[in-house]
């Protein structure tokens, strides 16, 4: 391989790249998002400086089904995030994510710093209940349920779309060849070309099981605030460095 060929390669392994060059388009991506209040000490431990937690210590647990993702294919994902502020601006911070497809795990970690690991999430309708489960090494660690399409937001899809345009933030950490930090950044990005096909609110419940290598239960559920079901299209663009811890 020549130098130009190497520099034109989108990802490792160079002979068979894990993912193509972005940006990436997601069509009919389905969400179950359960918002809840958690322990403030646990939340502060999960949230990197200079981000500040929501005054009500609100976090969210979500399931996502991606049936049509350019470059990544068909997969599912589950994980937790926090409502926070960056320099006074509201944002969503990704804490941990588990999914069942190698290309988006690799691309997510290498490009944006998404906190992704391998897991077995599933989102499906069980009779009258929208149901999300997460298994880690065949052990169930999370289950979320929501009433199915009880409260339509068809009259307010513009507001739902505005919420999806919010700043999103990841903590990206990559080691150098000697094991010392090579990259330590807060990375920000905003979804683009968002279309909301449907959105619903309803009652939700969330059960998290402690596991040392899948620590979804480390942000305990104190009070369920609400649940939302959405189906959307959007483009995931490249991000920007908000804060460099090595500068």
């Amino acid at each position: 391989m020549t130098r130009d060929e190497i520099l034109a390669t989108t990802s490792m392994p160079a002979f068979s790249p894990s993912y193509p060059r972005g940006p990436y388009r997601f069509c009919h991506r389905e969400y179950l998002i359960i918002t809840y209040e958690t322990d403030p000490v646990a939340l502060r431990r999960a949230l990197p400086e200079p981000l500040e937690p929501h005054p009500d210590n609100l976090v969210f647990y979500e399931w996502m089904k991606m049936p049509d993702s350019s470059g990544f294919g068909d997969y599912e994902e589950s994980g937790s995030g926090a409502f926070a502020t960056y320099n006074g601006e509201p944002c969503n911070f990704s804490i941990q994510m588990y999914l069942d497809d190698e290309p988006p795990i690799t691309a997510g970690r290498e490009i944006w710093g998404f906190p992704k690991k391998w897991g077995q999430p599933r989102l499906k309708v069980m009779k009258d209940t929208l149901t999300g489960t997460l298994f880690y090494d065949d052990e169930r660690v999370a289950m979320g349920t929501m009433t199915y399409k009880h409260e339509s937001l068809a009259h307010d899809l513009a507001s739902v779309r505005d919420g999806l345009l919010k700043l999103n933030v990841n903590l990206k950490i990559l080691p150098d060849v000697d094991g010392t930090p090579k990259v330590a950044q807060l990375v920000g990005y905003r979804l683009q070309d968002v279309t909301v096909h449907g959105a619903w609110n309803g009652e939700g419940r969330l059960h998290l099981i402690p596991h040392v290598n899948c620590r979804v239960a480390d942000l305990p559920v104190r009070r369920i605030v609400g649940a939302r079901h959405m189906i959307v299209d959007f483009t995931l663009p490249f991000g920007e460095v908000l804060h460099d811890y090595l500068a």
Side-chain angles (χ1 to χ4, degrees), residues 36-47 57 59-61 80-82 95-96 206 208 215-222:
Y36 67 97
E37 179 187 347
T38 193
D39 177 75
V41 176
L43 176 56
R44 181 67 272 182
R45 188 165 56 243
L47 206 60
N57 302 305
V59 296
F60 57 90
Y61 195 93
S80 59
I95 296 173
Q96 52 191 325
L206 180 63
L208 304 175
R215 301 184 179 184
V216 294
D218 283 16
L219 292 173
V221 180
R222 286 193 166 179

Side-chain angles (χ1 to χ4, degrees), residues 22 45 86 122-123 126 129 131 149 163 192 201 203 220:
R45 188 165 56 243
Y86 170 71
R122 290 294 177 267
L123 177 62
M126 301 284 288
T129 309
T131 304
K149 294 186 176 181
Q192 297 176 350
N201 284 342
E203 291 280 336

Side-chain angles (χ1 to χ4, degrees), residues 110-123:
E110 292 179 356
I111 300 174
W112 300 272
F114 281 109
K116 299 192 178 203
K117 296 175 70 173
W118 178 268
Q120 298 161 301
R122 290 294 177 267
L123 177 62

